């Protein structure tokens, strides 16, 4: 048996096309959805993530108010800029690319973003609303995982979902989304304190790996036919590449593809969904501002 590959690039393109259509409709009513991505410094991975976001903004027809600040920017200067963007009614979404330079308090910065413009879904108001089941901007990667499952036609209701990882940006929120009535999974959340993790993962109908370590999930940990969602993005040295590295996930893809029923590749699985869902949230923010 060979697993069906869930093509995140294709699903993300579908989501962006749906968003682009709605952006055109909003533009016809005189509103151009607008996102401000703030990048501080020159971290190469962050620069490349921001470039990807800007490319997607152009593709879906949204306005781009991104700001690239020098590494030496003070916390006060950054907070001042966020205050200006909060007050600017033509800006619907604000995203601060993480990580920030060490001299800036990330929590203080994220708290400064108006929750109604927090299209990353990281502000405690949005996190709290997600927990109690109220309307919220859903964090992009976890939301992207749910949309991938939906668009791949995977039935989730009554299934046992096992999540590896409990971070605030992936593990915890994806567990909550999987457990929501709409998705209706029974969820087990694993972490480094979990004993006999392979016994738990082998019970998973849906296994989400968000550990940030290569080879976290091997063949013996997966039930035949299970759906495997690999969130991990790990750089490993590769002298055959111009960059000197390549990206791999948390799962042993080659090993798993004969056991799993469905699997997401890395790259080209969850990654493209994150940016697509950011476009989705920015559109929602513009629609909410209009209301
Ligand atoms: P993180 O903050 O480092 O959290 C990793 C979590 O995994 C922690 O809760 C940790 O447990 C757990 N963990 C680590 N090794 C484990 C193991 N061997 N067994 C069980 N649990 C283990 O990472 P993150 O921010 O959630 O990101 C996870 C991965 O997803 C990274 O590779 C990241 O690059 C990737 N990512 C991808 C996207 C995307 O768009 N594709 C977006 C975000 C993140 P403890 O809490 O016990 O330490």
């Amino acid at each position: 048996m060979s697993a069906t590959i869930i093509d995140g690039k294709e699903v993300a393109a579908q989501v962006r096309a749906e968003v682009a259509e709605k952006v055109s409709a909003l533009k016809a009513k005189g509103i151009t959805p607008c996102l401000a991505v703030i990048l501080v410094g020159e971290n190469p991975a962050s620069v490349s993530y921001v470039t990807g976001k800007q490319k997607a903004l152009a593709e879906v027809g949204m306005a781009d108010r991104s700001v690239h600040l020098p590494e030496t920017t003070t916390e006060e200067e950054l907070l001042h800029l966020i205050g200006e963007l909060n007050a600017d009614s033509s800006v619907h979404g604000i995203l601060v690319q993480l990580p920030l330079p060490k001299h800036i308090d990330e929590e203080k910065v994220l708290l400064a973003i108006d929750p109604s413009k927090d299209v990353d879904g990281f502000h405690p108001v949005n996190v709290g609303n997600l927990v109690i089941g109220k309307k919220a901007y859903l964090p992009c990667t976890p939301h992207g995982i749910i949309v991938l499952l939906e668009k791949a036609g995977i039935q989730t209701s009554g299934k046992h979902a096992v999540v590896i990882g409990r971070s605030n940006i992936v593990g915890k929120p994806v567990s909550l989304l999987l457990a929501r009535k709409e998705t209706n999974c029974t969820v087990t959340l694993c972490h480094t304190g979990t004993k006999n993790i392979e016994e738990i993962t082998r019970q998973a109908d849906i296994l989400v790996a968000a550990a940030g370590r290569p080879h976290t999930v091997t063949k013996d940990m997966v039930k035949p036919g299970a759906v495997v969602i690999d969130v991990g993005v790990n750089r490993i040295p590769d002298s055959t590449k111009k960059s000197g590295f390549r990206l791999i996930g948390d799962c042993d893809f080659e090993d798993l593809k004969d056991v799993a029923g469905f699997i997401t590749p890395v790259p080209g699985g969850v990654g493209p969904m994150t940016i697509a869902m950011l476009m989705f949230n920015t559109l929602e923010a513009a629609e909410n501002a209009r209301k």
Side-chain angles (χ1 to χ4, degrees), residues 225-245:
V227 177
V228 178
I229 306 291
D230 192 350
V231 190
V233 179
N234 306 292
R235 273 184 185 206
I236 60 156
D238 185 342
S239 57
T240 67
K241 302 275 176 202
K242 213 171 128 195
S243 58
F245 69 85

Side-chain angles (χ1 to χ4, degrees), residues 49 141 164-171 190-194 197 209-213 216 230-234 250 270-272 274-275:
Y49 288 140
T141 304
I164 305 178
R166 58 176 157 190
S167 73
N168 290 336
I169 63 165
V170 190
C190 302
H191 42 73
T192 57
T194 304
I197 194 166
R213 286 174 200 208
T216 301
D230 192 350
V231 190
V233 179
N234 306 292
D250 287 351
V270 174
T274 300
I275 294 185

Side-chain angles (χ1 to χ4, degrees), residues 107-119:
E107 202 183 329
K108 214 166 164 183
V109 168
L110 294 182
L111 279 173
I113 298 172
D114 181 336
S116 70
K117 298 190 179 191
D118 167 42
V119 286

Side-chain angles (χ1 to χ4, degrees), residues 63-262:
D64 181 358
R65 285 279 297 278
S66 299
V67 185
H68 190 169
L69 299 169
E71 183 86 25
T72 50
T73 303
T74 64
E75 185 177 286
E76 204 186 342
E77 285 165 338
L78 180 55
L79 291 173
H80 181 75
L81 171 65
I82 292 171
E84 282 180 349
L85 294 168
N86 280 341
D88 185 338
S89 61
S90 68
V91 174
H92 304 105
I94 303 169
L95 180 150
V96 177
Q97 185 65 46
L98 301 179
L100 287 167
K102 296 235 175 320
H103 62 275
I104 300 178
D105 181 346
E106 276 183 8
E107 202 183 329
K108 214 166 164 183
V109 168
L110 294 182
L111 279 173
I113 298 172
D114 181 336
S116 70
K117 298 190 179 191
D118 167 42
V119 286
D120 238 350
F122 291 164
H123 192 287
V125 167
N126 282 312
V127 177
N129 282 336
L130 163 62
V131 173
I132 61 173
K134 289 217 163 163
K135 223 173 149 29
Y137 294 117
L138 302 179
C140 300
T141 304
H143 191 194
I145 293 168
I146 301 298
V147 174
L148 261 189
L149 292 171
E150 270 169 26
K151 302 250 184 199
I154 288 157
Q155 297 298 319
T156 54
S157 187
K159 298 287 169 66
H160 184 190
V162 174
V163 176
I164 305 178
R166 58 176 157 190
S167 73
N168 290 336
I169 63 165
V170 190
K172 273 187 217 155
V174 81
S175 302
L176 286 164
L177 290 176
L178 286 163
R180 287 199 310 182
K181 196 96 177 170
E182 300 92 303
T183 323
N184 229 15
C185 289
T186 302
V187 179
T188 306
L189 179 58
C190 302
H191 42 73
T192 57
T194 304
K195 294 209 171 83
N196 302 326
I197 194 166
E198 63 287 346
E199 282 175 21
I200 298 168
T201 59
R202 272 201 297 267
Q203 294 170 33
D205 301 306
I206 299 170
L207 178 60
V208 179
R213 286 174 200 208
H215 315 298
T216 301
V217 179
T218 49
K219 200 173 182 169
D220 53 311
M221 295 170 73
V222 175
K223 176 163 87 174
V227 177
V228 178
I229 306 291
D230 192 350
V231 190
V233 179
N234 306 292
R235 273 184 185 206
I236 60 156
D238 185 342
S239 57
T240 67
K241 302 275 176 202
K242 213 171 128 195
S243 58
F245 69 85
R246 71 188 157 96
L247 299 178
I248 62 165
D250 287 351
C251 300
D252 267 336
F253 184 84
E254 286 307 316
D255 207 26
L256 259 59
K257 73 179 183 359
D258 297 328
V259 182
F262 291 82

